[in-house]
Amino acid sequence: MSSNGEVNNRPADSAFKQQRLKAWQPILTPMWVIASFVFIGIVFVPIGAVLLNASENVVELRVQYGGKDMNGEKNEIKPGKNAILELKATADMKGPVYLYYELSNFYQNHRRYVKSRYDAQLRGDVKGYSDLAEAKAKFTTNAKLNEVKDEAGATLRQTFQTCEPMLIPPEFDNNEGPNCKWNSTDEKSKGKLCKVLWPCGLIAGSFFDDVFQPAGNWTTPLTEWSEEDIAWDSDKKIKFKNPDGWKEGKWKKDQDSLYLWLHQRYPDFNKLTNRSLEKEGVENEHFIVWMRTAGLPTFRKLYAIIGKGNDADTVTIKKGTILEIKVHSHFEVEAFDGTKSLVVSTVSWLGGKNSFLGIAYIVVGSISLLLAAAFFIKHMNSPRKLGDTTYIVWQD
């Protein structure tokens, strides 16, 4: 405040507030620029070589068994059919060896697709299901379909809002509403019992249910085929849980249930993989892996680990070994013009086979070295005097 009582907003006369602190401003002289490019090149090229070498040491076997190939010809095991796929090891494969399925042109990153899930349901939270049962109980045996549609449909949408448009089985739904009956006591009704999908949503509704099994001559090092521990621990322990009483059979798992369970929607999957319904449900690790959506339209997901165990590093698939894997095809790819493939691969400290990162480092490092050489030649042939005022052009 000044002497006359007025407020004075002027900053104090200090080096900090008056911006008089000491500062260092680098000047990019020709030699500094050349040295910077040389440094980047010297660092990036060796790093790229190490990354590329790690990728090249990964042995990857791949066979496409669904969709059109690069020549536009169909290469497909039709849904409902079985076949034996053969993969020949091109080099020694040191364990553990990982088996993946690969899909192309499947956009799991679509906004509506990613949001179409009900996390409370996946965690086993039954809140809202009792409300649905109460809404169902309100209807008499003479309830009209439009009344059922209005009240029960509203309850469904409110409870499973994020699951739309897949709340009930597609065969029970149409543009006018559910063509099924919520009241199962109406014996005269021609409509089927309405069911609620558990789990609901587009991601669960498009579950990849092809089944892979070892077949043929699997020699001693390959005796361990494990489909456990393929999902993230955080997902298994926290995000995916069956409702309380699942193991004790408190929830109906038959056709009279109000809910359509995962094993009812994909009946062959549990049978072929020898899954126990009391232990599985949404805790099926293949399902958990599928629910973690991919960011790109071409992606791979882990299906099994071959040679898993304490002695996994001693397991070796010799060069020339033919791996025979039986495929039970159920997942249809023709509708979205995609492909599906089976991939068997080793891993390095960097992960799977991916040459892009190593090549990118080498390219950037090489370009930096070329620029450094070009600038050095230019500087040697026609050096520029720093601070020369003749380079300053002033026009009145």
Side-chain angles (χ1 to χ4, degrees):
M1 183 177 291
S2 61
S3 58
N4 57 6
E6 296 180 356
V7 177
N8 188 350
N9 294 325
R10 185 173 62 183
D13 187 16
S14 64
F16 177 76
K17 293 186 176 181
Q18 294 297 332
Q19 300 183 15
R20 295 195 299 265
L21 292 174
K22 294 181 180 181
W24 175 72
Q25 183 176 357
I27 299 176
L28 295 178
T29 62
M31 294 309 298
W32 267 108
V33 172
I34 293 170
S36 299
F37 277 121
V38 171
F39 176 78
I40 293 174
I42 291 176
V43 172
F44 275 44
V45 170
I47 292 177
V50 172
L51 297 177
L52 190 60
N53 180 68
S55 177
E56 292 300 320
N57 287 334
V58 173
V59 182
E60 180 179 292
L61 314 177
R62 180 180 179 274
V63 58
Q64 179 181 323
Y65 69 96
K68 295 181 180 179
D69 57 20
M70 297 181 64
N71 298 323
E73 298 180 0
K74 283 189 177 181
N75 178 23
E76 185 170 17
I77 304 172
K78 294 183 178 180
K81 302 294 183 179
N82 304 330
I84 301 293
L85 299 179
E86 294 185 351
L87 300 95
K88 185 176 181 179
T90 56
D92 290 348
M93 302 177 71
K94 190 175 182 180
V97 180
Y98 297 88
L99 186 143
Y100 306 86
Y101 58 87
E102 178 182 287
L103 294 179
S104 68
N105 205 37
F106 192 99
Y107 288 82
Q108 271 200 319
N109 58 354
H110 192 285
R111 182 173 178 269
R112 191 178 187 187
Y113 184 89
V114 172
K115 292 180 63 178
S116 186
R117 58 188 289 163
Y118 188 36
D119 288 316
Q121 182 192 47
L122 296 172
R123 291 193 302 268
D125 185 356
V126 296
K127 181 181 179 182
Y129 290 93
S130 58
D131 297 336
L132 180 61
E134 291 177 4
K136 169 179 171 288
K138 290 180 181 178
F139 303 110
T140 64
T141 57
N142 298 319
K144 295 181 180 179
L145 181 60
N146 61 344
E147 293 176 355
V148 177
K149 168 188 171 184
D150 291 341
E151 191 165 351
T155 304
L156 272 174
R157 281 185 288 275
Q158 182 179 3
T159 307
F160 310 112
Q161 184 177 3
T162 58
C163 272
E164 289 188 320
M166 192 169 282
L167 307 176
I168 64 176
E171 60 268 23
F172 291 163
D173 201 4
N174 55 42
N175 295 331
E176 299 178 355
N179 60 358
C180 51
K181 302 294 184 181
W182 288 105
N183 195 330
S184 61
T185 62
D186 186 3
E187 297 178 357
K188 297 180 180 180
S189 174
K190 294 181 180 180
K192 297 180 180 179
L193 171 65
C194 280
K195 290 180 178 290
V196 179
L197 294 176
W198 186 311
C200 59
L202 291 174
I203 311 177
S206 60
F207 174 53
F208 183 86
D209 57 339
D210 283 7
V211 176
F212 306 103
Q213 295 173 319
N217 183 23
W218 285 72
T219 53
T220 304
L222 307 175
T223 54
E224 292 190 29
W225 171 294
S226 175
E227 297 175 28
E228 297 180 355
D229 296 330
I230 59 175
W232 291 20
D233 286 339
S234 59
D235 288 349
K236 293 188 293 183
K237 295 178 180 178
I238 301 173
K239 296 184 179 180
F240 294 86
K241 289 294 181 183
N242 293 319
D244 291 339
W246 173 268
K247 293 182 179 180
E248 292 75 18
K250 294 181 180 179
W251 292 75
K252 288 185 178 180
K253 304 184 182 72
D254 53 24
Q255 296 301 323
D256 292 332
S257 171
L258 178 61
Y259 311 105
L260 189 68
W261 306 100
L262 187 69
H263 68 270
Q264 292 174 325
R265 297 162 71 182
Y266 309 100
D268 292 334
F269 191 82
N270 281 73
K271 292 178 183 177
L272 293 170
T273 53
N274 297 320
R275 298 299 179 190
S276 170
L277 299 184
E278 286 70 26
K279 296 180 179 179
E280 285 295 323
V282 298
E283 296 177 12
N284 184 311
E285 288 198 47
H286 293 294
F287 175 74
I288 296 174
V289 169
W290 177 257
M291 290 297 291
R292 182 167 286 278
T293 54
L296 298 174
T298 298
F299 58 86
R300 295 176 181 177
K301 291 184 182 289
L302 182 61
Y303 187 89
I305 305 174
I306 304 170
K308 180 184 175 182
N310 296 329
D311 298 328
D313 56 345
T314 64
V315 175
T316 301
I317 300 175
K318 298 296 183 180
K319 179 180 179 180
T321 301
I322 296 178
L323 306 179
E324 295 183 351
I325 299 175
K326 187 176 183 179
V327 178
H328 301 264
S329 179
H330 301 284
F331 193 83
E332 196 269 325
V333 296
E334 187 175 354
F336 56 90
D337 196 25
T339 64
K340 56 183 179 179
S341 305
L342 178 67
V343 179
V344 176
S345 175
T346 60
V347 296
S348 67
W349 59 271
L350 188 63
K353 192 177 186 66
N354 188 349
S355 302
F356 174 78
L357 189 61
I359 293 174
Y361 266 91
I362 292 175
V363 169
V364 171
S366 300
I367 292 175
S368 297
L369 291 175
L370 289 175
L371 289 175
F375 288 161
F376 180 77
I377 294 172
K378 173 66 171 60
H379 182 63
M380 291 294 99
N381 291 336
S382 53
R384 173 177 172 177
K385 183 180 178 182
L386 295 179
D388 192 345
T389 57
T390 58
Y391 287 97
I392 301 176
V393 179
W394 180 267
Q395 295 179 352
D396 293 330

